């Protein structure tokens, strides 16, 4: 459960006085998420999410994240909206943390997504990329290739505690990717963490995207790589090409990939797998005992890195031969 910062009822009531949300009737910590502390609030006016921004979120980036949610919602994308306070600001402070009240998005995330859901996600991701094209703020991806080595240096010495041989394997992987990371691919605003737990469905219909707190400017196709990694592998570590095909065709029904993006896909998928491996490894080794968070297994992403390393052509992800060789 991701609640890093406790709040008291008195402080919460005082904090909520600045919002037009009615009177608090109940609240509870949310048993999901990794990055921030989230609470579900019920008030006389409805349900809301209270987010306290934690360690990896830089307060200077909050206008980008909150502004982006507004921008995308204005262009018809379903995502939660930060509520304004009486003073017009979107951010307040609670228990010493920057905090926001966010509208509640109906729906549930899928524990066992199927190909049809992957298609919907592909479509929504491309719609987000298109809608983000005229978002005026910029934020570099702190967790792209230049951020991986500093992250690795924090865990490197203890990597073999997790699995023998990891230190050498990851060091080689990192050097390989640093030397070959693409430089010129179409860029824009990406979500950068569109895992199944950040996509809500009502029945089989996608009801919205949440958790824009890694959003940034980067290669659009890198976002697809994140989704292939998080949506198209089965629990046993195998890649499900039917899901890959659905996700990629859903995406391309809104935005066509360029030949350069197609060619870069195996490298981007490998890099995205390394990125999640590294943050998970860091959390695995560094999260203090007793923290109310479920740590995610870094080794799941080692399997994915190895899968991508063996890929010879983007067709293996589920692009048609024609698309893969265009
Ligand atoms: N706007 C929202 N509407 C409904 N539930 C939400 C909303 N935002 C977050 N949640 C709930 O909180 C959980 C954690 O949110 P998330 O943004 O993923 O946290 P974190 O940033 O810590 O990873 C989600 O899985 C969901 O259950
Ligand atoms: N998706 C990341 C962790 C970030 O957690 P989220 O709850 O913000 O999606 C992972 O799985 O490693």
């Amino acid at each position: 459960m991701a609640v890093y910062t406790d709040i008291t009822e008195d402080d919460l009531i005082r904090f909520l006085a600045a919002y037009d949300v009615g009177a608090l009737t109940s609240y509870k910590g949310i048993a999901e998420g990794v990055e921030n502390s989230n609470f579900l609030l019920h008030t006389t006016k409805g349900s809301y999410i209270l987010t306290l921004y934690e360690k990896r979120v830089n307060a200077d980036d909050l206008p980008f994240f909150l502004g982006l949610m507004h921008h995308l919602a204005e262009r018809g994308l379903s995502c939660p909206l930060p509520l304004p306070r009486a003073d017009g600001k979107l951010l307040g402070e609670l228990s010493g943390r920057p905090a926001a009240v966010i509208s509640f998005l109906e729906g549930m995330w899928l524990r066992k997504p199927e190909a049809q859901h992957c298609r919907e996600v592909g479509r929504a991701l491309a719609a987000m990329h298109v809608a983000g094209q005229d978002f005026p703020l910029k934020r570099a991806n702190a967790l792209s290739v230049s951020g991986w080595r500093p992250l690795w240096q924090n865990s490197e010495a203890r990597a073999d505690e997790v699995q023998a041989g990891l230190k050498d394997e990851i060091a080689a992987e990192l050097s390989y990717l640093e030397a070959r990371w693409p430089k010129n691919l179409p860029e824009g605003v990406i979500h950068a963490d569109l895992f199944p737990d950040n996509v809500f469905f009502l029945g089989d219909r996608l009801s919205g995207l949440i958790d824009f707190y890694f959003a940034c400017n980067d290669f659009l196709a890198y976002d697809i790589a994140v989704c292939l990694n998080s949506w198209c592998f089965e629990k046993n570590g195998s890649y499900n090409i039917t899901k890959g095909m659905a996700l990629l065709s859903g995406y391309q029904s809104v935005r066509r990939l360029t030949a350069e993006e197609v060619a870069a896909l195996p490298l981007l998928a490998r890099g995205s797998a390394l990125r999640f491996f590294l943050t998970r490894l860091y959390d695995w080794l560094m999260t203090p005992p007793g923290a109310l968070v479920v740590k995610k297994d870094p080794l799941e992403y080692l399997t994915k890195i190895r899968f991508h390393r063996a890929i010879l052509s983007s067709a293996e992800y589920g692009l048609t031969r024609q698309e893969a060789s265009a």
Side-chain angles (χ1 to χ4, degrees), residues 162 217 227 252 296:
V162 177
N217 294 82
C227 288
Q252 297 211 86
K296 298 194 174 183

Side-chain angles (χ1 to χ4, degrees), residues 30 32-36 38 49 80 102-105 109 197-198 200 210-211 213:
I30 293 182
E32 265 161 357
V34 169
E35 297 298 326
N36 299 309
N38 287 296
I49 298 290
I102 312 283
S103 63
F104 185 84
L105 192 73
W109 69 268
D197 63 350
N198 290 329
F200 283 8
I210 66 163
D211 200 358
Y213 304 117

Side-chain angles (χ1 to χ4, degrees), residues 8-68:
T8 67
E9 188 174 341
D10 285 350
D11 284 349
L12 177 57
I13 290 170
R14 256 193 302 277
F15 173 81
L16 289 179
Y19 293 87
D20 180 21
V21 292
L24 183 69
T25 54
S26 69
Y27 73 97
K28 62 174 185 190
I30 293 182
E32 265 161 357
V34 169
E35 297 298 326
N36 299 309
S37 297
N38 287 296
F39 297 83
L40 174 60
L41 312 181
H42 295 294
T43 74
T44 48
K45 283 199 164 181
S47 303
Y48 305 90
I49 298 290
L50 166 70
T51 302
L52 273 59
Y53 298 98
E54 302 284 350
K55 51 177 185 173
R56 270 202 289 252
V57 176
N58 178 343
D60 293 343
D61 287 332
L62 289 170
F64 178 94
F65 302 137
L66 301 178
L68 178 62

